[in-house]
Amino acid sequence: GDSVTQMEGPVTLSEEAFLTINCTYTATGYPSLFWYVQYPGEGLQLLLKATKADDKGSNKGFEATYRKETTSFHLEKGSVQVSDSAVYFCALISGTYKYIFGTGTRLKVLA
Amino acid sequence: GAGVSQSPSNKVTEKGKDVELRCDPISGHTALYWYRQSLGQGLEFLIYFQGNSAPDKSGLPSDRFSAERTGGSVSTLTIQRTQQEDSAVYLCASSQRQGNNKETQYFGPGTRLLVL
């Protein structure tokens, strides 16, 4: 069945460091791919998405490119801030209404 | 406009008691989802409602779990005879069904359930 695999956390970085959170997927067909973020005490919010191969989703300085050849959707940010501290979830939806989520990666950014 | 709201935000109950969790989706959204987020785990799909169609209950973990959606809007997730392993954050999401797998789900803040 469809699945999403994210890198284990927590990830701890200093402010202004470069961030990469790896995400790979297994799916039949052509899924849409998403990154959701969950700030402390809040619900999940859509961060960015990409709906077809080679699309790049971007928002708030975060980027992810849909790589069909490597079945990946890695999240990157060039310079993280303390306010980026949160849990990040990679997800896919493939031909149905069911989202498949990864287990989440906790990011902690130190001032 | 208002987002997805859930109540209560926190619920502590004793093992064996029944609990009801409520979700108010975004107005006009036809699709509503319930998920469970256990500690250190991803989101586990529970149930899906779309308009007046029969719900997809395939994710409900046992017959102690049930959900209904009245009038195509508010939804209630009921857990009967709660067990300690039911302790988790229960998340509700809604979307405007597009039918092309590109839609975005909007999540509520969740209800944190603790079964003692």
Short mmCIF file of all heavy atoms in Angstrom, two decimals, chain A residues 1 5 7 16 20-21 32 34 37 54 56 60 73 81 86 98 103 107 110:
data_model
loop_
_atom_site.label_atom_id
_atom_site.label_comp_id
_atom_site.label_asym_id
_atom_site.label_seq_id
_atom_site.Cartn_x
_atom_site.Cartn_y
_atom_site.Cartn_z
N GLY A 1 0.82 -1.20 0.00
CA GLY A 1 0.00 0.00 0.00
C GLY A 1 0.85 1.25 0.00
O GLY A 1 2.07 1.21 0.13
N THR A 5 7.73 7.89 4.24
CA THR A 5 8.81 7.71 5.21
C THR A 5 9.55 9.03 5.38
O THR A 5 10.02 9.62 4.41
CB THR A 5 9.80 6.62 4.74
OG1 THR A 5 9.09 5.40 4.54
CG2 THR A 5 10.88 6.40 5.78
N MET A 7 12.54 11.28 7.76
CA MET A 7 13.71 11.10 8.60
C MET A 7 13.28 11.24 10.06
O MET A 7 12.37 11.99 10.41
CB MET A 7 14.80 12.12 8.27
CG MET A 7 14.41 13.57 8.45
SD MET A 7 15.69 14.69 7.85
CE MET A 7 17.00 14.41 9.03
N GLU A 16 19.66 30.40 11.47
CA GLU A 16 20.29 30.71 10.19
C GLU A 16 20.97 29.50 9.55
O GLU A 16 21.56 29.64 8.47
CB GLU A 16 21.29 31.87 10.30
CG GLU A 16 20.62 33.18 10.75
CD GLU A 16 21.59 34.35 10.79
OE1 GLU A 16 22.77 34.15 10.44
OE2 GLU A 16 21.17 35.45 11.18
N THR A 20 17.31 20.55 5.95
CA THR A 20 16.75 19.53 5.05
C THR A 20 16.04 18.49 5.90
O THR A 20 16.63 17.97 6.85
CB THR A 20 17.84 18.82 4.22
OG1 THR A 20 18.52 19.77 3.42
CG2 THR A 20 17.20 17.77 3.32
N ILE A 21 14.80 18.20 5.56
CA ILE A 21 14.07 17.09 6.16
C ILE A 21 13.69 16.15 5.02
O ILE A 21 12.96 16.54 4.10
CB ILE A 21 12.81 17.54 6.92
CG1 ILE A 21 13.18 18.49 8.05
CG2 ILE A 21 12.08 16.31 7.48
CD1 ILE A 21 11.98 19.03 8.82
N SER A 32 -0.37 13.42 -5.20
CA SER A 32 -0.02 14.78 -4.82
C SER A 32 0.72 14.70 -3.50
O SER A 32 0.42 13.85 -2.65
CB SER A 32 -1.28 15.65 -4.67
OG SER A 32 -1.89 15.84 -5.92
N PHE A 34 2.50 16.71 -0.03
CA PHE A 34 2.26 17.84 0.86
C PHE A 34 3.29 17.85 1.99
O PHE A 34 3.78 16.81 2.42
CB PHE A 34 0.87 17.73 1.51
CG PHE A 34 -0.28 17.63 0.54
CD1 PHE A 34 -0.59 16.42 -0.06
CD2 PHE A 34 -1.05 18.74 0.25
CE1 PHE A 34 -1.66 16.31 -0.94
CE2 PHE A 34 -2.12 18.64 -0.63
CZ PHE A 34 -2.42 17.42 -1.23
N VAL A 37 2.76 21.53 8.74
CA VAL A 37 3.54 21.92 9.92
C VAL A 37 2.59 22.05 11.11
O VAL A 37 1.44 22.50 10.97
CB VAL A 37 4.31 23.23 9.67
CG1 VAL A 37 3.38 24.38 9.31
CG2 VAL A 37 5.14 23.61 10.89
N ASP A 54 8.23 17.14 -10.84
CA ASP A 54 9.08 18.31 -11.08
C ASP A 54 8.49 19.62 -10.58
O ASP A 54 9.14 20.66 -10.68
CB ASP A 54 9.46 18.44 -12.56
CG ASP A 54 10.22 17.23 -13.07
OD1 ASP A 54 11.02 16.67 -12.29
OD2 ASP A 54 9.99 16.82 -14.22
N LYS A 56 7.65 22.41 -7.94
CA LYS A 56 8.28 22.86 -6.70
C LYS A 56 7.23 23.62 -5.90
O LYS A 56 6.67 24.60 -6.38
CB LYS A 56 9.47 23.76 -6.97
CG LYS A 56 10.11 24.32 -5.70
CD LYS A 56 11.23 25.29 -6.00
CE LYS A 56 12.49 24.59 -6.45
NZ LYS A 56 13.64 25.52 -6.59
N LYS A 60 6.90 30.56 2.76
CA LYS A 60 7.61 31.03 3.96
C LYS A 60 9.10 30.68 3.91
O LYS A 60 9.71 30.43 4.96
CB LYS A 60 6.99 30.44 5.22
CG LYS A 60 5.54 30.81 5.44
CD LYS A 60 5.01 30.22 6.74
CE LYS A 60 3.56 30.57 6.94
NZ LYS A 60 3.02 29.99 8.19
N PHE A 73 10.42 13.97 -1.73
CA PHE A 73 9.83 15.31 -1.61
C PHE A 73 10.48 15.96 -0.39
O PHE A 73 9.83 16.27 0.61
CB PHE A 73 8.31 15.19 -1.46
CG PHE A 73 7.55 16.48 -1.64
CD1 PHE A 73 7.69 17.25 -2.78
CD2 PHE A 73 6.65 16.90 -0.67
CE1 PHE A 73 6.97 18.42 -2.95
CE2 PHE A 73 5.91 18.08 -0.82
CZ PHE A 73 6.08 18.83 -1.97
N GLN A 81 14.72 29.95 11.36
CA GLN A 81 14.54 30.88 12.48
C GLN A 81 13.98 30.11 13.68
O GLN A 81 13.41 29.02 13.51
CB GLN A 81 13.57 32.00 12.08
CG GLN A 81 13.98 32.74 10.82
CD GLN A 81 15.33 33.41 10.96
OE1 GLN A 81 15.57 34.11 11.95
NE2 GLN A 81 16.22 33.21 10.00
N ALA A 86 8.94 23.41 15.21
CA ALA A 86 7.62 22.79 15.03
C ALA A 86 7.84 21.33 14.64
O ALA A 86 8.97 20.86 14.53
CB ALA A 86 6.83 23.51 13.94
N LYS A 98 -7.93 9.73 0.88
CA LYS A 98 -7.19 9.44 2.10
C LYS A 98 -5.77 9.98 2.03
O LYS A 98 -5.02 9.64 1.15
CB LYS A 98 -7.13 7.92 2.34
CG LYS A 98 -8.43 7.30 2.73
CD LYS A 98 -8.23 5.83 3.03
CE LYS A 98 -9.55 5.13 3.28
NZ LYS A 98 -9.37 3.69 3.52
N THR A 103 5.49 10.01 9.96
CA THR A 103 5.41 10.06 11.42
C THR A 103 5.78 11.41 11.99
O THR A 103 5.63 11.63 13.19
CB THR A 103 6.33 9.00 12.05
OG1 THR A 103 7.64 9.16 11.53
CG2 THR A 103 5.83 7.59 11.73
N LEU A 107 11.49 19.70 14.67
CA LEU A 107 12.59 20.63 14.45
C LEU A 107 12.67 21.59 15.62
O LEU A 107 11.67 22.21 16.00
CB LEU A 107 12.37 21.42 13.15
CG LEU A 107 13.33 22.59 12.91
CD1 LEU A 107 14.76 22.08 12.70
CD2 LEU A 107 12.89 23.43 11.72
N LEU A 110 17.66 26.77 17.72
CA LEU A 110 18.23 27.46 18.88
C LEU A 110 18.75 28.84 18.47
O LEU A 110 19.34 28.99 17.40
CB LEU A 110 19.37 26.64 19.48
CG LEU A 110 19.01 25.21 19.88
CD1 LEU A 110 20.25 24.47 20.36
CD2 LEU A 110 17.93 25.21 20.94
#
